[in-house]
Structures are given as structure tokens and as C-alpha cells.
Amino acid sequence: MNSQQNSLLYESIQICCLCLIWYSSSAAGNVIVKELLDEFPFPLTVTLVQLLSIWILCIPLIRIRQVPPPEYLYQNRSYYFKIIIPLAIGKFLSQLSSHVSLWKVPVSFAHTIKATMPLFTVILSRIILREKQTIPVYLSLIPVIVGVIIATVTELSFDMTGFISALISTFGFSLQNIYSKKSLKDIAIHHFFLLCLLAKIGCCLFVPFWFLYDGLNIYYDTKYHRTKTFLRICAYLFIDGILHFIHNVVAFTILSLLSPLSYSIGNSAKRIVIIATSLFILRNPVTTSNVVGMSLAAFGVILYNKAKYDQRRAQQKETILPLVRSESTVNALTHEEHQVTHSNGEVTSRHHSSSFESRPSIAYGSQTFKNV
């Protein structure tokens, strides 16, 4: 009993520490990205640096963890073009749109818009996967939509480009999750290896666009030729890359330790921490109605996660119950057949014994028929 309590205590402490790192890295990363983009308005560069950091830092992590290579992908190169490359492009564009939204609007408003991800997930799941949701799932979307509308209408620093970019980013991440669920279920690949692979492909595909767009603008802007400004921006980019890598690795680790419901609630709480941290540090002006809208949207996301969890549990019970019933039916039939066979055997044996005993004895000298 003591060993079980110790293991449970250790696991609880481990999860608490990981959540603390998860929330801290995500909140600090968003604040740093906002400060960086205000001084260095090149979201494409920020996105590439983050992906490059994941690519470089994942290599020693994979070797330390001894992650096995994806043999199935090596044997089926067509999956790179059907699955991996579209996922890498989607991840890059979604991340880029997220940085554009952080550049144009406050962090709190951008993450409130991202609370609409359940809405996009439900719509895209219906279109792509033909999945129907339960009534509680649809009802949980109402506070999300109402909260986002209130936050949008009352946002003091509203910008249409940032608003649309946040919606595009949310749509892209929702589509990426659904596409992964539909296409990667038959590919045996470790999540660390997939993270590294997507970052590598994204960097290689979009580096030429960076040279043509951000690279030339940065080169011809003399403001960034100053040593102090250049070093400060490089320090921001370096810290942001490290924090982004830590956030991704810890998120995957927590996902492997917690149930889907616990992870979703933790992710919703992380969004609340990011909003509160940005309001406290960046001091962007908000109204009471704006805070009410943010809180209502976050509460709606928690309700959605609970409704989806209940839906999955009900589907699992519907899948298991027919198997249990069929097995019990088979066992009952087998038991009845055994009883019938056993009773028939007893009837047959009694029939034969009674028939032999009822026959008259026929004398063959000193012997009878029974003795013979």
C-alpha cells in the first residue's frame, strides 16, 4: 500500500511540475513573441526560427530517448507526399498565421479567438470524417461563440488583419488535427520523430520564400544593422526558439501521462494563464465586457471537452456491450448444449442398461446370455 501511495504521489508531483513548465514556457513564449514582433515585424522569420530550433534540438532528444526510426515511412515513400508534406505545410502556415495575429492584436484577444477551435473541429469533422456529435457537444459551442463575439465587439485594439489571421490559424490547426487523426492512424511513428520531421520539411520548403520576402527587407533596413539592436533581436529569437521547443516536448509528454479529458482541461487552463499573464505583463487595455467574453469562451471550451469525453465513453460502451452480449449468448448456448448432451448420455446409458436388464436369460448350458 505504501509503494502504491508513493508511486501515486510521485506521478502527481511529476504532472504538477510538467504543467508548471508547460504553462510557464507557453506564457513566456507568447509574451516574448509579442515584444519581438513589435520591434521586429517579421512573423515569417520568427516562424522559421521556431521550426529550426525544434529541428536542431529534437536530434539529440531522439538519440537520448532512443526513438526508433519510422520503418513504415522508409518503406513507403509515397506517404511523404500524401501525409507528411501536407502536414508540414499546414503546420507552418498555421504557425505563421498565429504569429501574424500576435503581431497585429493583443495576446489576450488572439487566444480568445483561438478558443473557437472546437467550433472548427466540429464542422470539419462533419465534412471530412462524417462524424455526428451529441446534443451536449453542440450546446457547449454556444458559450464559446457568444464569448468570442463579446470579446471581439468590446476589443479596444481590434485589427481586422489580426482577427482574420487568428481565425485562419485556428482553422489550420483544427484541420491539421483532423487530417492527422484520419491519415496517421496506420503509421507507426513516434511523436518526437514526427515533430522533428515536420519542422525539418517546413524549414526546407519555406526558406526560399524567406530570402525573397523577409531576408531582403531585413538586409536593406539599416535599423537592424546596429550591433545593439541586432544582438537584442537575436537574443529574443534564441529564447523564443528554446521556449517553443520546451512547450512542444512537454505538451507531448503530458499527453502521454493524462487522459484526453484531463489534457484538454489543462490546455484550456493554459490558455487562461496565457491571457492573464499577457494582461499583467503587457498591460494592454481591456474592459469588463472584454474580460467577461474571454471568460465565457474559456468556460465553453471546458464544457466542450467534457461533452466530447462523455460522447467517447458512450461510444466505447456501445462497442463493448454487443461483444459482451454475444459472448454471454455463446456461453449460454454452449452450456445448454452441454446439458442436453449430458442428459442424452444419461438417458442413453439408462436405456441400454434397462434394456439389457429386462431381457430374459437364455441358458447355454451352465451360462446365461448376460454372462456370455
Side-chain angles (χ1 to χ4, degrees):
M1 189 66 180
N2 291 331
S3 60
Q4 292 180 354
Q5 290 179 349
N6 292 333
S7 62
L8 183 62
L9 179 62
Y10 173 76
E11 185 176 353
S12 302
I13 295 174
Q14 182 185 15
I15 292 174
C16 290
C17 293
L18 287 174
C19 286
L20 182 62
I21 297 172
W22 189 27
Y23 292 177
S24 302
S25 61
S26 183
N30 278 270
V31 171
I32 288 177
V33 167
K34 180 61 178 177
E35 292 284 349
L36 174 62
L37 290 173
D38 287 342
E39 183 177 359
F40 185 73
F42 298 100
L44 179 59
T45 304
V46 176
T47 305
L48 274 178
V49 170
Q50 287 186 351
L51 293 179
L52 185 63
S53 301
I54 292 177
W55 179 13
I56 294 174
L57 295 175
C58 268
I59 295 175
L61 177 64
I62 290 174
R63 292 179 179 177
I64 293 173
R65 295 292 300 271
Q66 297 180 351
V67 176
E71 298 293 341
Y72 190 79
L73 281 180
Y74 292 155
Q75 297 173 1
N76 299 270
R77 290 289 181 176
S78 61
Y79 270 89
Y80 273 99
F81 300 96
K82 294 180 180 179
I83 297 176
I84 301 300
I85 292 180
L87 281 175
I89 295 175
K91 179 178 176 59
F92 180 88
L93 294 178
S94 300
Q95 204 163 325
L96 177 62
S97 301
S98 176
H99 288 146
V100 173
S101 66
L102 291 177
W103 172 32
K104 293 293 185 179
V105 297
V107 176
S108 56
F109 181 61
H111 278 273
T112 303
I113 299 301
K114 290 180 181 180
T116 58
M117 183 175 288
L119 176 64
F120 287 108
T121 302
V122 169
I123 296 174
L124 293 173
S125 297
R126 184 74 179 108
I127 296 174
I128 299 175
L129 302 178
R130 304 296 180 185
E131 287 185 356
K132 294 182 178 180
Q133 312 297 333
T134 58
I135 294 178
V137 172
Y138 290 118
L139 292 178
S140 66
L141 297 176
I142 296 177
V144 175
I145 298 172
V146 174
V148 171
I149 291 175
I150 294 175
T152 302
V153 172
T154 59
E155 176 59 42
L156 299 176
S157 304
F158 180 80
D159 182 85
M160 184 58 69
T161 303
F163 176 73
I164 295 176
S165 298
L167 288 177
I168 293 175
S169 173
T170 308
F171 173 82
F173 282 121
S174 302
L175 185 62
Q176 181 183 352
N177 293 336
I178 293 174
Y179 188 76
S180 301
K181 177 181 177 181
K182 182 180 180 181
S183 304
L184 293 180
K185 58 184 179 180
D186 57 340
I187 299 178
I189 182 172
H190 195 275
H191 51 265
F192 287 162
F193 203 99
L194 178 62
L195 185 65
C196 179
L197 194 59
L198 295 180
K200 178 175 68 174
I201 294 175
C203 283
C204 295
L205 288 178
F206 288 95
V207 161
F209 295 96
W210 178 83
F211 276 112
L212 295 175
Y213 188 72
D214 279 6
L216 293 177
N217 292 329
I218 294 172
Y219 179 77
Y220 287 112
D221 195 336
T222 57
K223 180 177 68 174
Y224 304 113
H225 295 175
R226 302 169 187 169
T227 304
K228 185 179 293 186
T229 305
F230 177 77
L231 292 177
R232 184 170 61 254
I233 291 174
C234 288
Y236 271 130
L237 290 172
F238 177 77
I239 296 173
D240 176 57
I242 298 294
L243 292 175
H244 187 70
F245 169 76
I246 294 174
H247 169 262
N248 280 270
V249 171
V250 173
F252 277 119
T253 305
I254 292 177
L255 183 60
S256 64
L257 295 175
L258 299 179
S259 64
L261 176 62
S262 300
Y263 178 81
S264 300
I265 293 176
N267 196 26
S268 302
K270 184 198 73 173
R271 198 174 302 281
I272 297 174
V273 171
I274 293 173
I275 293 174
T277 304
S278 66
L279 292 176
F280 178 75
I281 296 178
L282 300 178
R283 303 286 183 179
N284 56 288
V286 291
T287 61
T288 304
S289 301
N290 198 236
V291 175
V292 171
M294 295 177 187
S295 304
L296 187 59
F299 178 71
V301 173
I302 295 176
L303 290 180
Y304 168 80
N305 293 328
K306 180 64 170 62
K308 285 292 292 182
Y309 176 76
D310 294 338
Q311 181 184 7
R312 294 191 193 100
R313 290 291 299 271
Q315 291 174 351
Q316 290 175 356
K317 289 181 180 179
E318 290 177 359
T319 305
I320 294 173
L321 281 177
L323 296 176
V324 174
R325 289 171 181 168
S326 62
E327 288 179 359
S328 60
T329 305
V330 171
N331 292 333
L333 291 174
T334 306
H335 183 65
E336 291 177 0
E337 291 176 358
H338 178 71
Q339 287 181 340
V340 170
T341 305
H342 182 67
S343 61
N344 289 339
E346 290 180 351
V347 171
T348 304
S349 61
R350 286 199 300 267
H351 171 72
H352 285 296
S353 61
S354 61
S355 61
F356 279 119
E357 291 175 355
S358 62
R359 289 179 182 178
S361 297
I362 302 175
Y364 287 93
S366 63
Q367 294 181 340
T368 66
F369 179 78
K370 287 171 67 175
N371 294 331
V372 174

